[in-house]
Each structure stands twice: as structure tokens, then as C-alpha cells.
Amino acid sequence: MELIDPFTWTWDINVLQRYFTPADIDLILTIPLSRSATSDQQIWHFNKRGFFTTNSAYYVAKDLALGLVLAPKPPVDPLRVVWNKVWSAKVPRKVALHAWRIMGNILPTRIGLSTKGYNGELGCVFCNHPHEDSLHLFVNCPYAKEVWNRAGIPMLGAASTTIQEWFTGVVNRFTKEELCKILMLIWGIWKSRNSQVWEQQGRHASETCFLTLGWYEEFKKHTASSLVRQARSIRWKAPNPGKVKINVDGAYQVASRRGGVGCVIRASDGSFVAGQARPYTLLTSPFHAELLALRDGLFLAQTL
């Protein structure tokens, strides 16, 4: 209670600055305060109900003995930005999965297979380069370069030493739409490679480019029409007679940590009862914004 201004019922910045670091203050300010002046109470973090029990204490002691409770957090994945952009790309799931396999060095190229016991031909099926790995197949091979040229995409790669390094550069340089095309063309190159290996059916680079981007356009049309059908199928469902329904939503912007929430209350016949919207700062996640939206919706109902 000493950290809260009793008149404005907000966090007391002056007191916080006296006892906490700026980083801790930033986190404290994201904690919403209750509207009721309830007293502080102790909560046992290791029990779902917040109560201390000898049973939960036993497991905490055991984890301490094993070094689990105080163990350092796992390191942040340096490729997190790459993963996020690949998985959020609006391409077929198998295309995104294909990119994930490339980044994880588990794509069965001939060099990749050689680490698993394969002792056959190691050369590239397109240009007879002595080693077919992902970096050569998708970046340095003349066939791949021709695909990128036909697609009008100036590719990176001259200085890349690993496929991960190349992929990171691609993600940081190109727009979302361009990244989608690149992911599709990588998939198209792999499909053409497999046709050559397993079916002895070669495709010219221009054909691979044309067929792959054509498939991408068809995928976008199908996705857009599916979204329209889905939007048309979503309808507001009225509550029981004599009841009201509160609908809420929250938005969050990662870069600024700002966001906003809105809520609307409607009667069983669909008529508008009340609504409100407000901005928020110092949010931590989309989930945080959604929770504040729920809380504000309940507060509005309580006020009415």
C-alpha cells in the first residue's frame, strides 16, 4: 500500500523511484490496480490457490536441490525474428515448414543425407557442382539464380557462409509480400529438384518460377475468399431475454508498447446499451490488452 498514491489510487512514481531500478519501475507500472482499497496479503506462488502447503513446499525444496527453481533462464533464440516472420508469412503451411527444415539443417539434400550414412552421389542435379547443400541449391546454383532473376527478386548471398546467415539477411531486407514469394520460390526450386532426382523430369528455371508464382496467386485468392466467407459467417449471438451481453477487444503495438481497449454492451434484442474505448500505455503483450478489455467491460457494467 505504501507504493500507491492514496488520493489518485495510482502507483506513486516518487516512491517507486526511491526503491526500484528504472527497469523494475517499468514493469511495476504495467500492473493494474484494484478499484477497491484492499489490504496487501501474502501469496504462495507455488500453489494454485496462493496458500502455503507442506506438500507444495516439498516440491519446491526438491526443485531447489536439483537446481531447477534458481536455474538461469534459457538463452534467447537469436533466430527468433526469423522464426516469427516465417511462421506468420501468408503462405501454405507446408511452405513455411519447408523453410523451417532448411533453417534447422534437416532438409535431405545430398550433403545433408551424407551425415546420416548416405554414400551416393553428392553433386547438384542442376549444375553438377560437387556438393549439393542448401546454400548452394537455393542461393549459389546458376539454376536458383535464374529463378530469382525471372521472379525479379535481387537475391543476397555472395557473402553468406551458411544458409542461416542468408535467411536472416533475406528476412531483414525484404517486405512481407516479397518474403512470401521467396518462401514459395524456395519451395518451387526444391520441388523441381525432386522431380529431376526421382522422376528424371527436368524443368527450366522460368517454368519453375511461372508455376510457383501462379500457385501463390491462386493460394492468395483462395485465402481471401475463405476470409470473406468466414467473416460473413460470424454473427453476433443474442443473450437470453432480460440479459445483456458485453463484447470487448484489445489491441497492442509491440514497438511502442501502447494499445487500446474497447467494449460495447447490448440488450437481448441487439439494441445498444453502452460502450467505451480508451488507450493504454506500458502494455506487455496482446494478452495484457485483452485482460484490460475484459476488466473495463466489467467495470462499465458495474457502473451501470
Side-chain angles (χ1 to χ4, degrees):
M1 296 292 287
E2 291 82 2
L3 304 178
I4 302 171
D5 188 317
F7 299 104
T8 61
W9 202 249
T10 58
W11 292 108
D12 193 321
I13 300 294
N14 294 326
V15 177
L16 294 177
Q17 291 175 340
R18 200 179 308 155
Y19 296 107
F20 299 96
T21 65
D24 288 334
I25 293 174
D26 196 29
L27 291 174
I28 292 171
L29 293 176
T30 65
I31 303 174
L33 296 173
S34 172
R35 298 179 76 184
S36 57
T38 55
S39 301
D40 292 340
Q41 56 180 319
Q42 291 184 337
I43 299 294
W44 177 245
H45 175 65
F46 304 98
N47 178 279
K48 290 182 178 180
R49 296 180 130 190
F51 302 136
F52 174 84
T53 64
T54 54
N55 187 48
S56 62
Y58 165 77
Y59 286 104
V60 172
K62 185 178 73 171
D63 287 344
L64 280 170
L66 296 173
L68 299 178
V69 172
L70 300 179
K73 294 182 178 179
V76 177
D77 184 358
L79 297 176
R80 178 179 294 177
V81 174
V82 177
W83 297 132
N84 289 342
K85 290 190 176 182
V86 167
W87 291 121
S88 62
K90 295 180 180 179
V91 296
R93 288 292 87 186
K94 60 183 178 181
V95 172
L97 182 62
H98 174 68
W100 172 79
R101 296 174 72 191
I102 295 173
M103 288 291 291
N105 276 329
I106 58 175
L107 193 70
T109 60
R110 286 175 166 177
I111 291 298
L113 290 173
S114 68
T115 64
K116 309 294 184 183
Y118 168 76
N119 56 7
E121 176 62 47
L122 298 179
C124 175
V125 300
F126 293 129
C127 69
N128 295 321
H129 186 275
H131 297 100
E132 183 205 66
D133 59 12
S134 293
L135 185 62
H136 170 78
L137 184 61
F138 301 114
V139 183
N140 297 324
C141 178
Y143 185 91
K145 291 180 179 179
E146 179 65 14
V147 170
W148 302 125
N149 182 57
R150 293 281 182 174
I153 299 176
M155 292 308 300
L156 304 168
S160 299
T161 58
T162 65
I163 193 66
Q164 289 85 356
E165 180 184 353
W166 175 79
F167 233 122
T168 302
V170 166
V171 166
N172 292 330
R173 175 177 173 178
F174 292 98
T175 65
K176 291 182 178 180
E177 176 66 16
E178 289 171 333
L179 178 60
C180 288
K181 290 183 179 179
I182 291 169
L183 295 177
M184 295 293 297
L185 288 169
I186 289 173
W187 167 261
I189 292 172
W190 181 247
K191 292 288 289 181
S192 294
R193 178 263 186 197
N194 288 341
S195 294
Q196 178 69 31
V197 171
W198 303 112
E199 303 169 9
Q200 288 74 49
Q201 294 182 0
R203 289 179 184 168
H204 192 274
S206 60
E207 184 182 4
T208 294
C209 177
F210 176 77
L211 291 176
T212 304
L213 293 184
W215 178 39
Y216 176 54
E217 291 300 321
E218 288 299 318
F219 171 78
K220 287 197 299 182
K221 291 179 182 178
H222 175 73
T223 303
S225 61
S226 296
L227 290 174
V228 170
R229 290 194 300 270
Q230 182 180 4
R232 289 174 178 172
S233 65
I234 298 175
R235 298 188 180 279
W236 182 78
K237 186 177 180 180
N240 294 329
K243 303 291 185 179
V244 297
K245 174 171 282 191
I246 309 172
N247 292 105
V248 304
D249 196 16
Y252 169 67
Q253 188 179 58
V254 178
S256 65
R257 295 183 59 191
R258 294 175 178 271
V261 303
C263 61
V264 60
I265 303 178
R266 286 180 284 188
S268 57
D269 61 355
S271 60
F272 176 81
V273 176
Q276 69 174 19
R278 61 175 296 187
Y280 273 100
T281 58
L282 297 176
L283 296 175
T284 58
S285 66
F287 184 58
H288 189 179
E290 297 286 354
L291 289 176
L292 290 175
L294 288 168
R295 187 190 68 160
D296 284 3
L298 294 173
F299 283 170
L300 178 61
Q302 187 180 47
T303 302
L304 298 175

